[in-house]
Amino acid sequence: MEEGLKLQQRHGKARVRVARVWREEGDGGGGTHHFAEWNVSISLLSDCLPAYIAGDNSDIVATDTMKNTVYAKAKECSKRLSAEDFAIELARHFTSYYRQVTAAIIRIVEKPWERVNVNGQLHTHGFKLGSEKHTTEVLLDKSGGLQVTSGVEGLAVLKTTKSGFEGFIRDKYTILPETQERMLATEVTALWRYSFKSLSGVPTKNLYFTEMYMDVKKVLQHTFFGPPKEGVYSPSVQSTLYDMAKTVLGRFQDIESIHLKMPNLHFLPVNLSSKDNPAIVKFADDVYLPTDEPHGSIEATLSRIHSKI
């Protein structure tokens, strides 16, 4: 490097789409199929400075090779596995196979294919597209240091009552009325980081991460809604966010921190009037104008005290 200059670099391959089917054996060929579709992004930290400063590519792992590796590793995974385990497998390969690579960052977004239910019975090989997406990011360095973050994107939830907003700052620009009765809707993005710091600490239970994803998502939803009959009152999105995050940390000891982003998607009361008819539509907690522009933006991270986040 030239004196007085510092170069930090990484390179990789983004948006590598791969789908994998696992077929269980069954009588007459009717065994259950399992299906996953992943969008994989790879980023490698490596000692390839000559490529930048001297036009010498001898230490570069070609991004096309990275793409091919995704398909080759998917083929090798003969046993069904989670997006997290696949990301760990890719990271392990890049950091161990190439002496130049010092760390690998693998991000996967899983498309929400769900097994279809036909006449009350789960179909053996039929799937439909759901809504929220399962995400993961794995950071593995050559020494074995590991960081696994999982998440959910686009978890849309709404309740038609048991929400209010009162006691906030009022000034000359404030026109929002206080209320103890309003609609509450949001699209949750959650990211949670696991506590294990090395490959040896990763749970060996098959589909551990898949089960954790389903369980965390269930806890987030149940905390938001409350009991089926009576629900739970929300004095603000902030309060509900904190309750959701705290419940997750209380329930899952393997999670050291969770970040929640919960935009407040507004449903505005509709009142319509005219000179001749002052009450064309008179709002009575029944007719709303849905809008998400602009919307409130609320996010926070809750960590255990020993966490470095």
Side-chain angles (χ1 to χ4, degrees):
M1 287 294 298
E2 296 183 26
E3 188 176 351
L5 298 177
K6 180 181 179 181
L7 176 65
Q8 293 180 310
Q9 55 78 33
R10 65 177 64 179
H11 75 292
K13 197 74 164 182
R15 299 182 66 82
V16 181
R17 296 180 61 181
V18 58
R20 182 63 159 96
V21 176
W22 295 274
R23 292 172 168 85
E24 295 179 4
E25 293 184 3
D27 296 336
T32 299
H33 294 187
H34 300 279
F35 177 73
E37 181 182 346
W38 295 321
N39 193 320
V40 182
S41 294
I42 302 161
S43 186
L44 302 184
L45 283 67
S46 62
D47 297 325
C48 61
L49 291 182
Y52 292 87
I53 63 178
D56 178 358
N57 297 332
S58 58
D59 285 331
I60 285 186
V61 180
T63 64
D64 189 67
T65 302
M66 298 181 203
K67 176 202 69 177
N68 295 340
T69 302
V70 171
Y71 298 116
K73 289 298 177 183
K75 177 68 175 180
E76 290 177 12
C77 294
S78 58
K79 187 176 181 180
R80 182 184 169 207
L81 78 170
S82 66
E84 286 87 350
D85 284 321
F86 188 59
I88 291 171
E89 180 58 33
L90 287 173
R92 192 202 314 261
H93 168 81
F94 288 117
T95 54
S96 62
Y97 192 79
Y98 300 101
R99 62 170 179 79
Q100 300 90 341
V101 175
T102 58
I105 302 170
I106 312 295
R107 175 172 169 78
I108 296 178
V109 178
E110 182 170 352
K111 210 163 187 178
W113 290 105
E114 302 170 350
R115 191 174 302 281
V116 71
N117 189 305
V118 178
N119 295 328
Q121 185 175 356
L122 292 177
H123 204 283
T124 60
H125 57 271
F127 299 83
K128 65 181 179 68
L129 194 60
S131 53
E132 65 272 4
K133 296 178 181 178
H134 175 188
T135 68
T136 188
E137 183 175 282
V138 168
L139 170 58
L140 178 67
D141 61 40
K142 214 171 191 68
S143 66
L146 178 69
Q147 193 174 94
V148 179
T149 303
S150 295
V152 59
E153 291 181 356
L155 178 59
V157 289
L158 175 153
K159 57 184 184 180
T160 55
T161 189
K162 295 284 184 176
S163 174
F165 191 49
E166 302 175 281
F168 49 88
I169 294 173
R170 304 199 69 89
D171 57 36
K172 62 182 181 180
Y173 301 118
T174 304
I175 61 173
L176 182 69
E178 299 190 1
T179 182
Q180 294 182 344
E181 176 60 42
R182 67 172 183 172
M183 189 95 74
L184 179 58
T186 186
E187 191 171 282
V188 179
T189 298
L191 293 171
W192 54 92
R193 181 172 295 177
Y194 290 96
S195 57
F196 35 82
K197 304 297 183 185
S198 65
L199 288 172
S200 62
V202 176
T204 57
K205 180 183 178 183
N206 187 39
L207 297 177
Y208 163 85
F209 291 106
T210 300
E211 291 182 11
M212 282 290 288
Y213 169 74
M214 298 301 293
D215 289 344
V216 172
K217 188 170 67 166
K218 186 182 298 183
V219 166
L220 290 171
Q221 291 180 103
H222 288 184
T223 308
F224 177 87
F225 292 117
K229 295 289 186 181
E230 63 269 25
V232 61
Y233 184 72
S234 170
S236 66
V237 178
Q238 287 86 342
S239 176
T240 297
L241 182 154
Y242 178 73
D243 287 343
M244 292 164 68
K246 184 175 66 172
T247 303
V248 168
L249 292 189
R251 191 75 57 88
F252 306 105
Q253 293 304 306
D254 283 352
I255 295 177
E256 70 174 17
S257 69
I258 182 168
H259 180 87
L260 289 174
K261 183 176 182 181
M262 294 172 54
N264 191 1
L265 305 179
H266 302 299
F267 283 75
L268 307 178
V270 172
N271 286 290
L272 297 179
S273 62
S274 69
K275 182 178 178 180
D276 298 326
N277 188 348
I280 299 173
V281 176
K282 185 175 176 58
F283 181 71
D285 297 316
D286 52 1
V287 180
Y288 302 82
L289 170 63
T291 178
D292 58 6
E293 295 181 358
H295 62 248
S297 179
I298 296 94
E299 58 185 297
T301 302
L302 187 65
S303 309
R304 302 187 193 278
I305 293 176
H306 63 266
S307 172
K308 295 182 180 179
I309 294 183

